[in-house]
Amino acid sequence: MTTAVGIGRLSRSASRIVGKAAAGFHLLRIEAYSQTKTVPAGRNINSGNFSIGGYSWHLKYYPNGRDASSANPDYISLYLLLQDYNRPNNLQAQYRFSILDQAGNVAYGLPAKTDIFKCGDDDDDSEEQISCGHERFIRKEDLERREDLLKDDCLTLRCDVGGFSELKTLPLAREDGKEDDDGDAADDDEFGLKPQHRGYSGRRRRRRPDDKEFVQWCMAQKRMG
């Protein structure tokens, strides 16, 4: 590429896309189990929002099942909803629901599942089925006779989420093309070459790397994660 007379040095920059495996869990402690049984079938109680892998989630707990037409619901339903309005694309993720005993260990759980989550909110869920989970998570009769799961009217649910990558774009290097009066690189450049001593004044200055050095330095940076 030909450089026109009178044009200063070109700015140079680099960035990187990094990824790491996303994994985390959320606990939902229900401290009034018997009172939640008064919630009608088909109605849910939400957990607080939590973040895993850069996405916002919440649990949907149905004390009398998700099926509103059931006159005598026997099961608790439990669902996971991806609530992130800034992420329009669908996300494939793995999740697992379990119940902890009084020591904090998993004492009941269903196998992990992998589903496609659609971003949205509760208002969309009845039509789009954007949450994923288990309509028959546990039979209420089975839960109520296990003191290791339900004690003093309290139980603790655990939801593990993972199986996808959290991607981020981060800066790698930047030079804005500015120079000082002697033609050295400006102090605000964010390029990682070691500064060199040059000039008779004894000032510590950085020699501006040529394009090949810049490229080689960027490619030599260690992979993150």
Side-chain angles (χ1 to χ4, degrees):
M1 182 178 68
T2 303
T3 303
V5 177
I7 297 179
R9 295 183 186 274
L10 296 177
S11 296
R12 304 180 298 199
S13 61
S15 59
R16 68 173 99 194
I17 298 176
V18 299
K20 63 179 180 180
F25 67 88
H26 180 78
L27 301 181
L28 176 59
R29 181 171 170 83
I30 300 170
E31 299 182 350
Y33 167 77
S34 60
Q35 296 180 41
T36 66
K37 293 172 65 176
T38 63
V39 175
R43 298 289 298 274
N44 66 283
I45 306 172
N46 288 343
S47 73
N49 289 348
F50 56 94
S51 178
I52 295 177
Y55 290 84
S56 180
W57 312 79
H58 71 250
L59 298 179
K60 303 179 68 176
Y61 169 69
Y62 294 82
N64 287 301
R66 195 181 192 189
D67 185 2
S69 64
S70 178
N72 186 24
D74 296 325
Y75 286 86
I76 291 172
S77 300
L78 192 58
Y79 284 78
L80 174 65
L81 184 138
L82 173 60
Q83 184 174 351
D84 202 320
Y85 308 105
N86 297 321
R87 306 290 185 93
N89 297 326
N90 298 338
L91 175 70
Q92 178 174 289
Q94 184 181 84
Y95 61 96
R96 182 175 187 265
F97 297 135
S98 55
I99 305 177
L100 305 184
D101 62 17
Q102 304 306 307
N105 302 313
V106 173
Y108 173 87
L110 297 183
K113 288 185 63 178
T114 299
D115 277 320
I116 303 294
F117 289 84
K118 299 178 181 179
C119 298
D121 57 26
D122 287 316
D123 294 335
D124 304 324
D125 201 20
S126 59
E127 179 179 354
E128 300 293 338
Q129 299 295 308
I130 60 175
S131 62
C132 301
H134 300 279
E135 186 168 348
R136 294 187 171 189
F137 173 58
I138 188 171
R139 188 188 296 269
K140 289 187 290 184
E141 180 181 351
D142 295 339
L143 171 65
E144 292 166 6
R145 68 186 180 200
R146 288 190 55 174
E147 293 186 356
D148 60 329
L149 302 181
L150 181 63
K151 186 174 182 180
D152 298 328
D153 208 29
C154 297
L155 74 150
T156 301
L157 305 174
R158 172 170 172 155
C159 175
D160 289 84
V161 182
F164 64 98
S165 295
E166 181 179 2
L167 300 175
K168 293 182 179 181
T169 301
L170 302 174
L172 180 59
R174 179 183 65 82
E175 282 189 340
D176 59 14
K178 295 179 180 179
E179 301 175 357
D180 61 19
D181 293 339
D182 297 313
D184 295 321
D187 290 339
D188 59 355
D189 288 344
E190 298 177 359
F191 183 54
L193 289 180
K194 295 181 180 180
Q196 298 184 11
H197 294 282
R198 69 175 229 167
Y200 61 88
S201 64
R203 293 171 55 197
R204 186 179 179 87
R205 303 173 183 172
R206 290 180 293 171
R207 176 184 63 82
R208 189 176 195 270
D210 60 29
D211 290 348
K212 185 175 182 179
E213 289 177 309
F214 181 86
V215 171
Q216 289 177 338
W217 182 88
C218 291
M219 295 182 67
Q221 298 311 295
K222 292 183 178 179
R223 179 175 175 177
M224 296 184 65

